């Protein structure tokens, strides 16, 4: 993208958001609004009829038993599920009022605005720590001055609470870090491109408890700037970090997953509306 | 030491005499087979040297041409390497592109069939490639391409001289060699490209990479060493490939840089194939000696290929 | 309404845009062809193909953006590379079938090359004489010799490497197998020749020598594939067998080999397919004969690849007759290789133990 592009796109964001909310986009993002979303793999309906509002600058947790489609749903929020051949969706996902599945929408741009952190840490093994952080930036700006690059690396690594641990070995391979450090490196890599939303797919499931604490603490810091959606199997984790929780369930294998209920996290864990939810959160199944 | 390991593993006393006896025979047989391979390879070097030595050390006046061995083999070594490099220069980029096409661009079902076809093509005998080259490719190039290159590009040394009208040139031979080694490089590259961890590909896509950016960021760094060693294996195959060159090339004695004329340095393998059946006495020894030289060259290239592959894999894992 | 550029759409070329780029490319190809090569349809096509990636890049660069343009350039180039590679291969298969079919007849399949004066006269009159039965028999014998040496040798070596071997010997054998993989086929032929000079004296050519030469090429392929298959057998199976008090060799014969047999057979079949078309080593070790020779220990033999070579480069008079026989033999070779290759794949699928993939 060249400079002219940048200006026009920013301009249109502002214009559109102003029309809808009356405020500038950079101050208050609008979060994600999912309506009537069906997700298919080929003919198989994997997730049915999701309606959900994901509040900006908060943490939304998706919980539920294995195979209920929460990861599939998460991946559909930045069109990453399209990587699997035959995957498609019906319905709309609005980011700041625009449908990410609208005609002509470029998934490449969506994924810049909605970043993702995966279950297993996946820094690029052939790149150094610094190069890993810059991986997303390099895609867009052909020339990046040394000092600008250094600034981004430091800012992102500080943002991911990793700077102090790695500042002396930025040119060493990212694969040499511990699992928890690698995962925070992946978070630094994701926030380096300054997305609006950060999707996290069981980010702590491959980590030990101490690394998990570090990542959770980081999430709580990040929510002042980013809208975070996290899939987790760990209900304590959902209770500890999230503001709102959605409970997914499935009626049986081969059946589509669906949202049972979504509410403030305290309510879901203390006084849920649905019986299935209370059974799940109290550990009676799943 | 091996024997004792086996016995300690087996020495529980549960098995009877037959077990231990059978084990000894079986272990002996399999170890013998392994050792026989070592012996065979030593034999290859030894016998080639034994039969080749008289050809190296011969007094030039005893041979019909009055060259020393070095003078004799020099142009052949040049021709061998030249032809193989031309083949590699043509085949490697195409093979990598085709491997990417199969691994990342073609629809999955199509890709499986294509992979099968490429493997099959690697098994087609080179003599068939050779007669196809002389029948189809050589006249095609001689009519359409070489005259044009001779007229318009002769300032480049590679295209100087009078263009061949038969098409039996170094370039034609190099192109047919390229067709021969293409399936090999493609198969290896496709394999390593397919092994790229999905996690790394997704990491790249999630950062907003286009397909090509994802390939550049995740697939190529991961597969680089595998591709290089595949290319080196292809080079090794091209160096030793005999029939395609023997059928196509019109050889002359000496060093020739132009690749579109009828005067070409022959390759070692092709020279052996052309001369061996009609040779006797010291001539045979000299040809075997050139074979030894070829063995040494390909050995070097293959050793390098393995070094590259080994270095790459430990790097990717670590 | 949706044409309004938003923050999430990127500028995309329309379908009409792509068609326009394609047409423009052909137009330029037309012009270039006219200027450089004189107008001919094939040159217009060649130039259009060569210019198309550039056209796509330039137009995408103007109408879309740099990243999109690069992405498109790679996609088009990679697809074109595939077409460029398929063309010679398709041409090869087509040529072999077209030229080979002419003489793929009963005389070819049953006759040999001992041609009587009457035969030669008939050939001059344009009749189909001469065949390759002796060459097929020769190929069968030489390849069988090679397989009889290489498959047991390769299999036992693989068993040693996986089941018994420890330490330095394993390393030595593994790296020597690697070296063997890279031996040029003509060098294998020279080795076998030099070996048999020692046994039978200089200048002899036998089917056995050819078999030995091919076995040198075949053994490493068998070792590699068998080794890979044996390593795929889960260790739990071996341990279960040891725990029952079964000796190691019986465990290998009764448990390990049956589990790996599909892969081993496939590997061996593919190894045969790999060497059955080898020409150079047989040129050096087996030579050429006019008639069937069933004895691999004595005298020259004709094999299909060598037959193909000589019929093509020394076709005699009229040249067409010999070269037609060469093409028929080439067709035969391609069919044999394709059948063996497919057989290998089918074996792998049929014999695969259930539950292993």
């Amino acid at each position: 993208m060249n400079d002219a592009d940048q200006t026009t796109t920013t301009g249109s964001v502002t214009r559109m958001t102003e029309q809808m909310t009356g405020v500038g986009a950079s101050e208050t993002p609008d979060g994600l609004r999912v309506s009537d979303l069906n997700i298919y793999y080929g003919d198989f309906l994997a997730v049915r009829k999701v309606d959900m509002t994901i509040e900006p600058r908060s943490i939304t947790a998706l919980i539920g038993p294995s195979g209920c489609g929460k990861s599939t749903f998460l991946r559909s929020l930045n069109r990453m599920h399209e990587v699997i051949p035959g995957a498609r969706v019906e319905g709309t996902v609005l980011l700041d009022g625009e449908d990410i599945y609208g005609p002509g929408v470029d998934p490449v741009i969506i994924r810049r605005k909605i970043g993702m952190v995966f279950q297993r840490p996946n820094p690029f093994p052939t790149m150094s720590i610094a190069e890993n952080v810059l991986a997303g930036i390099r895609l867009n700006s052909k020339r990046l001055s040394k000092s600008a690059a250094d600034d981004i690396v430091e800012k992102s690594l500080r943002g991911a609470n990793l700077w102090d641990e790695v500042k002396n070995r930025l040119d060493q391979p990212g694969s040499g870090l511990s699992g928890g450090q690698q995962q925070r490196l992946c978070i630094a890599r994701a926030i380096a491109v300054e997305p609006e939303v950060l999707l996290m797919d069981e980010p702590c499931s491959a980590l030990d408890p101490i690394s998990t604490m570090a990542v959770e603490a980081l999430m709580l810091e990040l929510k002042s700037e980013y809208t975070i959606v996290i899939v987790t199997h760990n209900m304590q984790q959902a209770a500890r970090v999230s503001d709102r929780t959605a409970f997914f369930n499935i009626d049986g294998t081969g059946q589509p997953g669906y949202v049972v209920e979504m509410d403030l996290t305290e309510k879901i864990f203390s006084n849920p509306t649905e019986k299935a939810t209370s059974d799940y959160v109290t550990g009676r199944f799943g | 030491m091996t024997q004792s390991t086996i016995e300690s593993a087996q020495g529980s006393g549960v098995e009877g005499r037959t077990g231990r006896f059978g084990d000894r025979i079986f272990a002996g047989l399999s170890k013998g087979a392994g050792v026989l391979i070592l012996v065979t390879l030593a034999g290859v070097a030894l016998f080639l040297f034994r039969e080749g030595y008289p050809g190296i050390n011969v007094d030039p006046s005893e041979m019909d041409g009055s060259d020393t061995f070095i003078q004799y083999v020099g142009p052949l070594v040049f021709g061998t390497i030249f032809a193989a490099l031309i083949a590699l220069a043509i085949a490697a980029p195409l093979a990598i592109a085709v491997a990417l096409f199969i691994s990342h661009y073609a629809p999955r079902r199509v890709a499986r069939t294509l992979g099968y076809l490429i493997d099959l093509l690697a098994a087609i005998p080179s003599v068939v490639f050779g007669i196809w080259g002389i029948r189809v490719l050589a006249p095609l190039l001689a009519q359409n391409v070489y005259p044009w290159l001779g007229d318009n590009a002769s300032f480049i040394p590679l295209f100087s001289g009078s263009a061949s009208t038969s098409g039996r040139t170094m370039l034609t031979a190099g192109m047919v060699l390229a067709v021969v080694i293409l399936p090999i490089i493609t198969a290896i590259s496709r394999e390593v490209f397919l092994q790229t961890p999905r996690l790394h590909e997704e990491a790249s896509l999630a950062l907003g990479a286009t397909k090509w950016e994802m390939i550049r960021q995740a697939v190529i760094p991961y597969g680089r060493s595998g591709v290089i060693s595949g290319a080196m294996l292809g080079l090794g195959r091209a160096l030793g490939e005999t029939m395609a060159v023997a059928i196509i090339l019109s050889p002359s004695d000496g060093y020739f840089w132009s690749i579109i004329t009828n005067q070409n340095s022959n390759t070692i393998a092709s020279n052996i194939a052309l001369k061996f059946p009609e040779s006797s006495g010291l001539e045979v020894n000299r040809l075997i000696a050139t074979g030894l030289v070829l063995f040494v060259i390909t050995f070097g290239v293959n050793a390098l290929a393995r070094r590259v592959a080994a270095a790459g894999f430990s790097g990717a894992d670590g | 309404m949706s044409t309004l550029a938003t923050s999430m759409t990127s500028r995309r070329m329309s379908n009409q845009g792509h068609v326009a780029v394609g047409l423009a490319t052909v137009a330029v190809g037309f012009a270039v062809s006219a200027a450089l090569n004189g107008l001919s349809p094939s040159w217009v096509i060649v130039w259009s193909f060569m210019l198309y990636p550039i056209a796509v890049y330039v137009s995408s660069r103007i109408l879309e953006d740099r990243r999109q343009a690069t992405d498109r350039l790679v996609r088009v180039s990679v697809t074109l590379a595939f077409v460029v590679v398929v063309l010679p291969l398709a041409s090869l298969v087509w040529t072999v079938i077209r030229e080979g079919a002419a003489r793929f007849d009963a005389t070819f399949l049953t006759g040999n090359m001992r041609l009587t004066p009457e035969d030669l006269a008939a050939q001059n009159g344009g009749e189909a004489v001469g065949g390759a039965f002796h060459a097929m028999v020769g190929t069968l014998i030489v390849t069988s010799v090679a397989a009889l040496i290489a498959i047991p040798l390769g299999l036992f070596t693989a068993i040693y490497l996986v089941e018994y071997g420890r330490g330095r010997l394993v390393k030595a054998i593994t790296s020597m197998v690697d070296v063997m993989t890279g031996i040029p086929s003509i060098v294998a032929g020279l080795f076998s020749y030099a070996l048999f000079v020692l046994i039978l004296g200089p200048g002899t050519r036998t089917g056995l020598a050819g078999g030995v030469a091919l076995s040198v090429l075949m053994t490493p392929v068998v070792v590699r594939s068998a080794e890979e298959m044996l390593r795929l057998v889960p260790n739990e199976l071996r341990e279960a067998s040891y725990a029952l008090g079964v000796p190691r060799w019986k465990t290998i014969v009764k448990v390990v080999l049956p589990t790996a047999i599909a892969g081993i057979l496939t590997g061996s079949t593919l190894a045969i397919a790999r060497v059955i078309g080898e020409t150079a080593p047989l040129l050096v070790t087996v030579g050429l004969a006019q008639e069937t020779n069933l004895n691999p220990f004595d005298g020259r033999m004709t094999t299909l690849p060598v037959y193909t070579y000589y019929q093509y480069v020394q076709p005699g008079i009229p040249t067409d007759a010999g070269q037609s026989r060469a093409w028929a033999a080439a067709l035969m070779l391609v069919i044999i290789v394709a059948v063996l290759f497919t057989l290998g794949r089918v074996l792998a699928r049929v014999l695969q133990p259930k539950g292993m993939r």
Side-chain angles (χ1 to χ4, degrees):
Chain A
M1 242 187 256
N2 54 38
D3 289 345
D5 277 339
Q6 216 95 46
T7 336
T8 50
T9 42
T10 326
S12 67
V13 178
T14 322
R15 194 176 58 243
M16 286 207 54
T17 346
E18 274 169 351
Q19 283 166 356
M20 306 192 76
T21 60
V23 221
S26 48
E27 279 84 43
T28 325
D30 203 30
L32 286 163
R33 271 164 220 257
V34 181
S35 39
D36 236 357
L37 193 73
N38 290 319
I39 309 173
Y40 294 87
Y41 290 115
D43 293 332
F44 173 68
L45 178 62
V47 179
R48 93 172 130 81
K49 253 180 101 53
V50 179
D51 288 287
M52 187 183 287
T53 300
I54 290 164
E55 298 293 335
R57 292 184 183 168
S58 69
I59 300 179
T60 303
L62 311 179
I63 60 169
S66 300
C68 66
K70 31 184 210 311
S71 284
T72 300
F73 171 71
L74 186 80
R75 290 166 68 95
S76 73
L77 295 182
N78 71 343
R79 299 184 63 167
M80 275 301 288
H81 72 297
E82 287 172 9
V83 173
I84 296 157
R88 66 197 164 85
V89 304
E90 289 164 358
T92 56
V93 177
L94 301 183
L95 171 66
D96 298 335
E98 286 179 59
D99 186 3
I100 67 169
Y101 288 99
V105 170
D106 190 345
V108 165
I109 297 177
I110 297 301
R111 292 172 193 153
R112 283 187 77 75
K113 290 168 169 267
I114 308 179
M116 189 159 206
V117 175
F118 295 81
Q119 195 167 350
R120 279 177 49 211
N122 54 357
F124 296 114
T126 49
M127 294 184 193
S128 71
I129 292 172
E131 283 167 352
N132 258 295
V133 174
L134 293 171
I137 306 277
R138 292 241 189 259
L139 297 177
N140 257 309
S141 26
K142 224 172 178 184
R143 277 184 212 86
L144 196 61
S145 75
K146 177 84 174 68
S147 61
D150 289 346
D151 287 348
I152 292 169
V153 170
E154 177 167 352
K155 181 166 162 256
S156 310
L157 286 171
R158 277 192 195 283
N161 279 342
L162 191 60
W163 174 251
D164 290 330
E165 293 161 63
V166 300
K167 63 183 174 195
N168 295 322
R169 45 173 168 157
L170 292 173
D171 52 352
Q172 283 172 25
S175 48
L177 300 174
S178 76
Q181 289 173 325
Q182 285 190 16
Q183 194 62 300
R184 278 180 283 147
L185 175 59
C186 292
I187 294 173
R189 181 175 67 186
I191 61 179
V193 294
E194 299 183 333
E196 289 177 32
V197 183
L198 209 48
L199 308 177
M200 299 183 159
D201 189 356
E202 297 185 43
C204 301
S205 67
L207 305 183
D208 60 78
I210 292 177
S211 306
T212 301
M213 297 273 286
V215 173
E216 284 181 9
L218 173 59
M219 280 190 259
L220 291 171
E221 281 176 35
L222 289 174
K223 78 168 177 177
S224 61
E225 279 185 72
Y226 303 98
T227 305
I228 295 176
V229 186
I230 173 177
V231 166
T232 178
H233 265 120
N234 179 336
M235 274 176 285
Q236 286 77 19
Q237 181 170 62
R240 279 194 301 265
V241 300
S242 71
D243 302 299
R244 293 161 66 85
T245 297
F247 171 58
F248 279 71
N249 203 358
I250 186 170
D251 292 334
T253 40
Q255 302 285 317
Y258 58 93
V259 178
V260 176
E261 68 173 304
M262 178 174 186
D263 215 319
L264 291 173
T265 298
E266 296 140 45
K267 176 141 192 312
I268 290 281
F269 281 93
S270 58
N271 183 25
T273 315
E274 301 289 330
K275 183 166 180 307
T277 314
S278 84
D279 285 352
Y280 184 76
V281 298
T282 52
R284 241 167 275 161
F285 85 101
Chain B
M1 171 204 138
T2 316
Q3 215 57 30
S4 67
T5 328
I6 295 161
E7 275 165 16
S8 66
Q10 295 297 315
S12 59
V14 176
E15 75 230 33
R17 242 199 106 61
T18 43
R20 180 160 289 193
F21 183 65
D23 247 339
R24 206 163 282 170
I25 291 193
F26 210 76
L29 267 177
S30 61
K31 190 175 185 178
V35 171
L36 186 57
I37 285 192
L38 296 185
V39 171
T40 308
L41 209 75
V44 171
L46 195 75
F47 288 124
L48 286 185
F49 192 74
R50 198 190 111 98
E51 289 296 308
Y53 186 72
I56 299 176
N57 207 20
V58 71
D59 178 1
S61 60
E62 281 180 48
M63 311 291 290
D64 46 344
S66 56
D67 292 344
T68 63
F69 181 69
I70 299 294
Q71 286 168 332
Y72 180 78
V73 80
L76 296 175
V77 170
F78 169 78
T80 303
I81 295 174
F82 196 29
L85 287 180
I86 292 172
L88 188 68
I90 299 169
L94 280 176
I96 293 166
V98 171
L100 270 184
F101 178 77
I102 296 175
S103 68
H104 282 85
Y105 284 92
R108 217 189 292 174
R109 197 170 296 169
V110 180
R112 197 174 308 156
T113 316
L114 294 179
Y116 172 80
L117 278 180
I118 296 276
D119 288 349
L120 173 60
L121 287 166
I124 286 191
S126 59
V127 66
V128 179
F129 282 108
I131 62 176
W132 169 78
I134 193 84
R135 176 64 154 254
V136 177
L137 188 64
L140 187 79
L141 294 171
Q143 280 158 27
N144 297 304
V145 178
Y146 294 157
W148 188 86
L149 282 176
D151 291 345
N152 298 295
S154 56
F155 58 92
I156 305 169
L158 288 180
F159 304 127
S160 59
S162 63
S164 163
T165 50
S166 67
R168 305 184 58 179
T169 68
M170 196 55 129
L171 185 54
T172 311
M175 285 171 109
V176 174
L177 280 182
V179 176
V180 172
I181 65 174
L182 227 152
I184 300 169
I185 306 178
T186 305
I188 296 173
S189 308
R190 172 182 55 117
E191 198 77 357
V192 294
F193 289 155
L194 283 175
Q195 279 170 5
T196 313
R198 195 174 190 108
L199 272 172
H200 296 153
E201 296 186 5
E202 291 190 342
S204 188
L205 290 174
L207 289 172
T210 61
K211 185 154 206 164
W212 163 241
E213 288 161 348
M214 180 274 280
I215 289 171
R216 213 184 52 195
Q217 212 164 48
V219 179
I220 290 179
Y222 184 83
R224 186 182 287 134
S225 64
V227 170
I228 292 174
S229 76
M232 302 276 277
L233 286 181
L235 180 66
R237 173 77 201 271
L239 289 166
E241 175 49 49
T242 312
M243 300 320 294
V245 183
I247 292 171
I248 289 164
L249 201 65
S250 139
S252 307
D253 192 18
Y255 300 87
F256 302 97
W257 277 107
S258 177
I259 57 175
I260 61 166
T261 71
N262 277 334
Q263 289 205 302
N264 303 287
S265 308
N266 207 351
T267 71
I268 293 176
S270 153
N271 185 59
I272 296 171
L274 291 175
K275 296 212 176 125
F276 199 91
E278 270 85 53
S279 297
S280 60
L282 277 175
E283 186 67 35
V284 170
N285 297 117
R286 187 161 72 176
L287 289 172
I288 293 179
T290 63
L292 191 59
V293 173
L294 176 62
F295 183 41
V296 171
I297 296 174
T298 51
F299 180 85
V301 168
N302 287 318
L304 207 59
R306 277 193 302 279
R307 288 263 300 262
V308 172
F313 280 120
S314 62
D317 289 341
Chain C
M1 50 159 265
S2 65
T3 49
L4 204 139
T6 71
S7 63
M8 302 195 301
T9 52
S10 53
R11 292 191 296 169
R12 282 297 173 101
M13 264 200 278
S14 61
N15 285 340
Q16 293 96 312
H18 287 294
V19 173
V21 170
L23 289 176
T25 311
V26 175
V28 176
F30 212 77
V32 174
S33 164
L36 294 177
N37 316 92
L39 263 184
S40 81
S42 40
W43 275 113
V44 173
I45 293 171
V46 168
W47 280 112
S48 304
F49 264 107
M50 283 177 15
L51 292 169
Y52 187 60
I54 303 170
V56 166
Y57 183 77
V58 171
S59 56
S60 171
R61 192 69 206 261
I62 295 168
L63 296 170
E64 299 176 333
D65 61 37
R66 178 178 59 80
R67 297 175 59 195
Q68 197 64 43
T70 315
D71 196 51
R72 282 193 192 284
L73 174 69
V74 174
R75 182 180 296 270
V76 169
S77 306
V78 159
T79 313
L80 272 185
F82 179 72
V83 173
V84 166
V85 167
V86 162
L87 280 179
L89 296 173
S91 159
L92 176 112
V93 172
W94 167 240
T95 310
V96 170
I97 292 174
R98 191 192 57 200
E99 304 278 331
R103 272 305 318 276
F104 208 72
D105 51 28
T107 323
F108 178 79
L109 295 174
T110 56
N112 60 29
M113 286 308 292
R114 175 156 307 277
L115 301 181
T116 62
E118 294 82 60
D119 287 335
L120 291 172
Q123 176 163 295
N124 276 327
E127 278 183 49
V129 302
F133 179 74
H134 61 313
M136 294 174 214
V137 173
T139 286
L140 188 70
I141 292 173
V142 171
T143 313
S144 304
V145 171
L148 283 177
I149 300 171
I151 293 177
L153 181 62
L155 185 55
F156 272 106
T157 304
I159 290 175
Y160 179 73
L161 291 177
V162 177
E163 306 288 335
Y164 286 104
R166 300 274 183 284
R168 259 193 304 185
L169 189 57
V170 165
K171 237 180 212 161
I173 293 172
T174 307
S175 56
M176 286 307 118
V177 168
D178 276 341
V179 172
M180 247 174 139
T181 315
I183 291 184
S185 62
I186 188 115
V187 172
L190 292 177
F191 155 69
S192 178
Y193 175 85
L195 177 72
F196 280 85
V197 164
L198 204 67
I199 303 170
L200 302 172
T204 49
R205 306 277 200 277
T206 59
L208 181 65
V212 169
L214 294 190
S215 73
V216 171
L217 299 170
M218 197 174 157
T219 306
V221 185
V222 177
V223 176
R224 276 275 160 278
S225 65
E227 194 187 347
E228 196 179 317
M229 291 306 137
L230 292 178
R231 285 197 199 285
L232 282 180
V233 176
N235 246 335
E236 288 81 5
L237 283 183
R238 295 187 182 89
E239 283 164 6
S241 175
Y242 297 153
L244 293 171
V246 180
R248 182 174 279 229
W249 74 277
K250 265 198 178 152
T251 304
I252 295 170
V253 174
K254 293 265 157 82
V255 177
V256 177
L257 287 180
T259 318
I261 192 72
I264 291 168
L265 278 176
T266 303
S268 304
T269 311
L270 295 182
I272 292 174
R274 194 60 50 81
V275 298
I276 206 165
E278 280 294 348
T279 316
L282 302 183
L283 207 61
V284 175
T285 50
V286 190
L288 194 69
Q290 291 181 319
E291 283 181 299
T292 307
N293 169 10
L294 292 174
N295 185 357
F297 298 98
D298 185 34
R300 295 167 183 245
M301 250 180 210
T302 301
T303 50
L304 270 177
V306 176
Y307 180 91
T308 308
Y309 173 64
Y310 276 118
Q311 289 296 327
Y312 200 90
V313 298
Q314 299 172 6
I317 296 167
T319 47
D320 281 358
Q323 295 197 335
S324 296
R325 284 192 290 266
W327 285 109
L331 177 58
M332 188 81 199
L333 269 176
V334 171
I335 292 173
I336 292 174
V337 168
V339 166
L340 281 174
F341 195 81
T342 312
L343 184 72
R345 293 294 170 104
V346 171
L347 274 180
R349 204 160 298 167
V350 172
L351 294 176
Q352 189 101 55
K354 301 223 160 35
M356 263 180 73
R357 266 270 142 193

